[in-house]
Every structure is written in structure tokens, then in C-alpha cells.
């Protein structure tokens, strides 16, 4: 199984994602420079965290126009699983693969800490091995993770069960205190209508080994591997090769 | 070109600045909204053309329509 990890100028979690996939999980991983225009034969695409293009203008606003992005959009449209982490999530918001936008954290501080997350949905490629209501401990590292969506978008996300992760305390309660950045409805991660594109602010790739604090992030990577291994009918790679 | 957060969107920076001004004794300041300002040099011959290019650029790149609105002056 091959994970394509898109690299933008300023990405800095690309190697963390590579390490998690390749060395912890033992799956194939490959970096794809943002100037490329195809994803070759990727089975999964990761848009990693960092500060693409220095976060100039807005987070993800410039990366969105990178030559690789049409290929990512095609991959997503063909049903391929796409995971946007932190800045990768911000890029997916800017390019419209996911709805909403990020504002500065409500306290204007950069938060670098472990947070609690309540897993809301297990019907995405990245959460299939989880259990709804499960609490995950993952690190966050961002200054602009205050998720915002207009009321009608928010209602649609709630109604269609597209909020995949919420910030929560150890008891699974979505309190103000457990919400590190002021996100509406304590939203930490969402998915698209077709559920194959998932974005979240916390960093699962930095939480794949107990030795560095948590291995809860493995759930996301193991889930997608398990889903793809079981689903022999998934033709993402083949259809992409045809398009290329 | 002025890009500002829509009135319905909370502006944590503007809020903090307003509090700072109030604590400095400027009680008359009730609200602050912070925005961005861009100067574009355009190779066009008319005001209309300039506005057209500027608004396209604003809509597509410089402003995020989910949270921001823009105003153009030529």
C-alpha cells in the first residue's frame, strides 16, 4: 500500500507522516513535491502539517494553487482517501475540498500541547477501526485552528454526521476548557460529503509511538490500511493511472 | 484593497486591541476590527479595468469569501 505525502515549501510534518507510515506501520510512503502534477499510483494521500509558503496571506491560501492540487482534487473525486493534518487541513479548506475556514485561536496564542479528542464518526476511511465516543490523546501545534463555518454550513455538517472529531475532556465532555482554540461546536476535524476526505488540526502522525507520549494517532493510519486491504473493489490507483 | 473579516465573524485580534485601548483610557473605543491592506500596481489603462482585475484577484486569492469581505479603492 502506498501513501503519497505532499510536500510544500514550509511543510514540516512531512517527515513525521513518512516515519509513521513507513517505519511504524511498515507501509509504503513517498514524498510528492508540490510542483508535481500527478500522484502516480498512490492509494492514500496525506497533506501534511507545517507552514506552507510561510503562512503568508492566510494559512494554506497559496499552497492551494500548487500544481499538485488538481491531482489531489481528482484523487479525492475518484473516491481516494485524503487526510489533511493541521496545515494540510487548512489547505483542504482553502481549496474547497472541505467547507469552512480557520481563524486565529481565540486567545491569539500558539498552542503546542496534548489535547483530548472525542471520536464522533467511524464511517470514514481514517476512523473505521475506532469506536464512537472513544477518547484520543493527540498533540496540537497551531496558531490558527479556530474552526469557523457559517451557520447553514455548520447545520449541514451536524445533520450529515460530518464532524469526525471534537475537542473533549477525559470524560468525553466538549467543555469550553477542553476546546483549545475556540472552534465552533468544538470541531477538531471534519469530512467531506462523500466521507473520503478528512481534515483535522491535531497531529495523529506525531502520536504513533508510546515512547513519544501517545500512540493514539495510529488508529487513523491503521484504519485506512485496513479499509483498503479489505476493499478489493477500490480502484483508486487504477483510475488515477488512467487519468494521468 | 481592504480585506476585513465579515461582521458576523469574531475577530480575536481586533477584540484584544479594543481591550488594550480601553485599558489605556480610551473609553470611547467600543470595538476594533483588524483587517489587511494591499496595494496593487496594475498595467491597465482605465479605472474600470483596474477594478475588474482587482476584484477578481480579491475574490480568488486575497480574500477568503467564507470569512472575509473586501473593498477596492482606485
Amino acid at each position: 500500500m502506498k501513501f503519497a505525502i505532499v510536500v510544500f515549501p514550509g511543510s514540516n510534518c512531512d517527515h513525521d507522516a513518512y516515519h509513521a507510515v513507513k517505519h511504524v506501520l511498515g507501509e509504503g510512503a513517498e514524498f510528492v513535491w508540490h510542483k508535481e502534477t500527478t500522484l502516480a499510483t498512490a492509494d492514500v494521500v496525506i497533506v501534511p502539517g507545517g507552514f506552507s509558503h510561510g503562512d503568508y496571506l492566510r494559512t494554506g491560501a497559496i499552497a492551494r494553487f500548487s500544481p499538485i492540487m488538481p491531482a489531489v482534487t481528482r484523487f479525492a473525486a475518484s473516491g481516494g482517501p485524503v487526510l489533511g493534518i493541521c496545515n494540510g487541513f487548512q489547505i483542504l479548506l482553502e481549496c474547497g475540498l472541505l467547507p469552512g475556514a480557520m481563524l486565529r485561536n481565540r486567545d491569539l496564542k500558539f498552542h503546542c500541547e496534548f489535547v483530548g479528542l472525542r471520536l464522533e464518526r467511524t464511517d470514514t476511511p481514517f476512523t473505521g477501526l475506532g469506536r464512537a465516543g472513544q477518547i484520543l490523546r493527540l498533540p496540537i501545534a497551531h496558531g490558527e485552528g479556530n474552526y469557523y463555518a457559517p451557520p447553514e454550513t455548520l447545520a449541514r455538517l451536524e445533520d450529515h454526521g460530518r464532524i469526525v472529531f471534537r475537542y473533549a475532556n477525559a470524560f468525553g465532555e466538549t467543555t469550553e476548557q477542553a476546546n483549545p482554540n475556540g472552534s465552533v461546536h468544538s470541531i477538531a476535524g471534519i469530512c467531506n460529503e462523500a466521507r473520503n476526505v478528512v481534515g483535522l488540526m491535531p497531529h495523529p502522525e506525531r502520536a504513533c509511538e508510546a515512547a513519544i507520549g501517545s500512540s493514539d494517532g495510529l488508529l487513523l493510519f491503521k484504519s485506512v490500511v485496513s479499509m483498503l486491504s479489505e476493499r478489493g473493489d477500490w480502484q483508486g490507483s487504477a483510475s488515477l493511472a488512467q487519468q494521468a | 484593497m481592504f480585506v476585513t473579516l465579515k461582521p458576523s465573524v469574531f475577530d480575536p485580534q481586533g477584540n484584544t486591541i479594543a481591550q488594550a485601548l480601553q485599558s489605556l483610557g480610551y473609553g470611547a473605543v467600543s470595538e476594533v476590527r483588524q483587517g489587511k491592506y494591499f496595494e496593487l500596481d496594475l498595467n491597465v489603462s482605465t479605472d474600470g479595468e483596474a477594478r475588474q482585475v482587482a476584484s477578481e484577484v480579491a475574490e480568488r486569492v486575497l480574500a477568503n469569501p467564507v470569512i472575509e469581505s473586501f473593498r477596492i479603492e482606485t
Side-chain angles (χ1 to χ4, degrees), chain A residues 105-152:
Chain A
N105 292 348
R106 71 180 152 196
D107 62 1
L108 300 178
K109 288 185 178 136
F110 188 97
H111 281 248
C112 187
E113 60 193 339
F114 271 94
V115 296
L117 291 181
R118 190 175 75 201
L119 179 61
E120 304 286 276
R121 308 291 306 194
T122 56
D123 51 358
T124 82
F126 298 99
T127 54
L129 294 182
R131 142 181 80 68
Q134 181 178 355
I135 305 298
L136 304 175
R137 245 181 102 252
L138 296 182
I140 55 165
H142 61 247
E144 283 161 307
N146 183 351
Y147 181 79
Y148 171 85
E152 59 280 9

Side-chain angles (χ1 to χ4, degrees), chain A residues 3-233:
Chain A
F3 286 65
I5 299 159
V6 183
V7 183
F8 299 92
S11 294
N12 68 5
C13 300
D14 43 348
H15 282 267
D16 301 63
Y18 186 93
H19 174 73
V21 170
K22 185 108 176 181
H23 303 133
V24 183
L25 220 59
E27 297 291 337
E30 195 168 84
F31 292 120
V32 180
W33 181 234
H34 77 120
K35 295 261 179 166
E36 299 289 330
T37 53
T38 63
L39 291 159
T41 54
D43 298 299
V44 185
V45 171
I46 296 180
V47 188
F51 300 85
S52 59
H53 299 276
D55 275 354
Y56 295 163
L57 188 59
R58 294 179 307 277
T59 55
I62 298 175
R64 164 202 168 186
F65 293 105
S66 282
I68 192 66
M69 288 313 289
V72 173
T73 304
R74 279 200 305 275
F75 182 83
S78 77
V82 177
L83 181 65
I85 302 168
C86 195
N87 187 227
F89 182 19
Q90 294 164 335
I91 294 168
L92 296 181
L93 293 174
E94 280 284 341
C95 78
L97 279 175
L98 292 172
M102 288 297 173
L103 301 170
R104 291 283 298 271
N105 292 348
R106 71 180 152 196
D107 62 1
L108 300 178
K109 288 185 178 136
F110 188 97
H111 281 248
C112 187
E113 60 193 339
F114 271 94
V115 296
L117 291 181
R118 190 175 75 201
L119 179 61
E120 304 286 276
R121 308 291 306 194
T122 56
D123 51 358
T124 82
F126 298 99
T127 54
L129 294 182
R131 142 181 80 68
Q134 181 178 355
I135 305 298
L136 304 175
R137 245 181 102 252
L138 296 182
I140 55 165
H142 61 247
E144 283 161 307
N146 183 351
Y147 181 79
Y148 171 85
E152 59 280 9
T153 308
L154 209 51
R156 207 166 58 235
L157 289 174
E158 290 281 9
D159 291 348
H160 296 183
R162 288 169 55 188
I163 295 159
V164 184
F165 303 97
R166 284 185 224 261
Y167 299 109
N169 63 19
F171 305 105
E173 299 158 343
T174 56
T175 60
E176 273 298 291
Q177 216 175 9
N179 183 343
N181 49 34
S183 291
V184 283
H185 294 205
S186 295
I187 291 173
I190 57 173
C191 68
N192 66 344
E193 187 95 55
R195 316 196 75 81
N196 61 312
V197 179
V198 173
L200 79 167
M201 286 312 291
H203 286 274
E205 83 288 12
R206 292 192 196 170
C208 288
E209 289 160 291
I212 54 168
S214 168
S215 57
D216 290 356
L218 265 180
L219 170 75
L220 282 83
F221 302 102
K222 280 185 173 167
S223 289
V224 72
V225 169
S226 151
M227 184 208 77
L228 291 178
S229 328
E230 281 170 26
R231 263 178 64 175
D233 63 332

Side-chain angles (χ1 to χ4, degrees), chain A residues 57-58 64-65 94 100-106 108 148 150, chain B residues 9-10 12-13 16 36 38 60-64 66-68:
Chain A
L57 188 59
R58 294 179 307 277
R64 164 202 168 186
F65 293 105
E94 280 284 341
M102 288 297 173
L103 301 170
R104 291 283 298 271
N105 292 348
R106 71 180 152 196
L108 300 178
Y148 171 85
Chain B
V9 176
F10 177 63
Q13 292 183 93
T16 302
K36 295 172 187 162
F38 301 90
R60 194 161 167 235
V61 187
L62 298 185
N64 180 339
V66 178
I67 47 172
E68 294 169 326

